[in-house]
Amino acid sequence: MTPKPNRLRLGIPKGSLQDATVQLFGRAGFNIYVSSRSYFPAIDDPEIECMLIRAQEMARYVADGVIDAGLTGQDWIAEYTASKPGAPIVPIANLIYAKQSFGKVRWVLAVPEDSPFQTPEDLEGKTIATELVKATEAYFAQKKINVNVEFSWGATEVKPPVLADAIVEVTETGSSLRANRLRIIDTLMESNTQLIANAKSLESNWTRQKLDNVSLLLNAAIEAQGRVGLMLNVGVSNLKAVLALLPALQRPTVSPLSPIENEEDWVAVNTIIEERTVRELIPRLKGAGATGIVEYPLNKIVL
């Protein structure tokens, strides 16, 4: 009898994080193909089975063992574990990326611009609308402020001041809050994506190793975001001046080039830099004596 092949059942967040997650996996070397007609995307790794699951529900399905692992925010993990302490969820990787940028999002307490509320204490006895009910209740309880926290099914920004006195909402840039004339008075938490796994699934050495490998490649793709490689040639007499211009991940790699009789010795320099610095750096390197300057893209940086 042929043994059943190993498979990692992986939850991909459906919704606002979906595109950013698929793109991240692509940079990590895993091509995910999403169809609008299916909740089971194809992936070019035969050892992984993907399923689209809302980020808000991911922790529950991981804890229940429906899937082995999944990607969701720290916020939704906190929301689930607030009502299910001791849930069998194990963090595997901290992945700092969001739907618009490679950064964290914030859950903030916001009120109408023209309201009299200046601090959380001013909201005593008031109504707060949010999707993040349990975490919001814990926030106000810690501050000993009595409020009525109501679940919001969406469009939370439009509820104050008629349907709620304030809201707790997630923001990445703050643009949506400003557009709805809301003012932030406090931050409840910062959140970024986590790769989490079911504790029982991790009892399998194969599953643990597979998740470690996926985590390594995802983090490597995140590290490479916004960075490029730069290589150049320079004579040894100008090497010190060139190196002084180069910020590096650690230190540039300097390798000797084949010597040419009766000419100065030359070296090749290879380094990693922030892409946003390239347009100012290359002319300065050229002026310092560098030649053969080549900029190239990076998909992964394994630290």
Side-chain angles (χ1 to χ4, degrees):
M1 182 176 178
T2 305
K4 185 177 179 180
N6 288 313
R7 291 284 189 278
L8 175 69
R9 298 167 298 167
L10 180 66
I12 302 297
K14 179 175 175 58
S16 61
L17 265 180
Q18 179 178 316
D19 290 345
T21 301
V22 170
Q23 291 167 12
L24 174 62
F25 269 80
R27 284 188 291 271
F30 301 94
N31 293 307
I32 297 176
Y33 306 96
V34 180
S35 168
S36 60
R37 299 181 180 181
S38 174
Y39 279 78
F40 297 91
I43 184 171
D44 61 354
D45 185 330
E47 296 178 340
I48 299 177
E49 294 176 353
C50 293
M51 182 176 183
L52 290 176
I53 297 173
R54 293 177 73 242
Q56 295 91 327
E57 300 178 295
M58 191 72 73
R60 173 164 67 94
Y61 288 121
V62 170
D64 291 346
V66 177
I67 52 178
D68 299 310
L71 293 96
T72 188
Q74 289 173 313
D75 42 8
W76 298 115
I77 298 170
E79 182 76 354
Y80 179 76
T81 55
S83 58
K84 299 280 186 178
I89 296 172
V90 180
I92 300 297
N94 192 39
L95 305 172
I96 300 180
Y97 75 99
K99 61 184 178 182
Q100 295 181 28
S101 66
F102 277 66
K104 294 186 176 185
V105 298
R106 294 185 298 151
W107 282 88
V108 298
L109 177 61
V111 298
E113 283 181 350
D114 56 359
S115 74
F117 308 123
Q118 300 297 324
T119 68
E121 287 73 16
D122 295 336
L123 293 167
E124 177 75 30
K126 303 301 182 181
T127 297
I128 316 296
T130 184
E131 287 185 77
L132 204 70
V133 173
K134 296 296 183 183
T136 299
E137 289 175 340
Y139 164 83
F140 281 103
Q142 185 180 23
K143 291 181 173 292
K144 297 181 172 56
I145 303 171
N146 294 314
V147 296
N148 174 36
V149 180
E150 292 185 348
F151 178 75
S152 173
W153 290 94
T156 307
E157 297 100 325
V158 304
K159 294 190 173 179
V162 177
L163 301 178
D165 298 292
I167 64 170
V168 170
E169 180 65 334
V170 66
T171 182
E172 191 169 345
T173 65
S175 58
S176 180
L177 295 174
R178 290 190 294 272
N180 286 280
R181 300 187 63 195
L182 295 173
R183 170 169 46 87
I184 297 172
I185 61 173
D186 201 9
T187 298
L188 276 70
M189 70 169 72
E190 288 189 336
S191 177
N192 57 269
T193 308
Q194 301 273 303
L195 174 60
I196 57 174
N198 175 273
K200 186 171 181 60
S201 294
L202 290 179
E203 293 176 4
S204 161
N205 290 334
W206 182 90
T207 300
R208 165 68 78 171
Q209 186 61 60
K210 184 67 176 179
L211 278 172
D212 285 345
N213 292 345
V214 171
S215 171
L216 174 72
L217 294 171
L218 291 176
N219 274 306
I222 291 173
E223 285 294 333
Q225 180 70 11
R227 291 173 170 163
V228 294
L230 199 69
M231 55 185 179
L232 56 88
N233 298 333
V234 64
V236 292
S237 61
N238 293 320
L239 178 60
K240 186 175 181 179
V242 165
L243 293 181
L245 296 173
L246 289 176
L249 188 64
Q250 292 179 334
R251 288 185 299 176
T253 299
V254 180
S255 307
L257 297 176
S258 299
I260 299 177
E261 188 176 355
N262 299 324
E263 288 194 12
E264 178 186 20
D265 289 339
W266 283 66
V267 295
V269 178
N270 203 329
T271 191
I272 295 171
I273 60 174
E274 297 293 330
E275 186 175 16
R276 65 178 183 271
T277 68
V278 170
R279 66 184 183 188
E280 296 179 357
L281 183 58
I282 287 181
R284 296 172 65 193
L285 290 171
K286 182 68 174 176
T291 64
I293 303 172
V294 177
E295 174 193 347
Y296 55 92
L298 299 172
N299 287 327
K300 305 176 192 68
I301 299 175
V302 179
L303 299 178

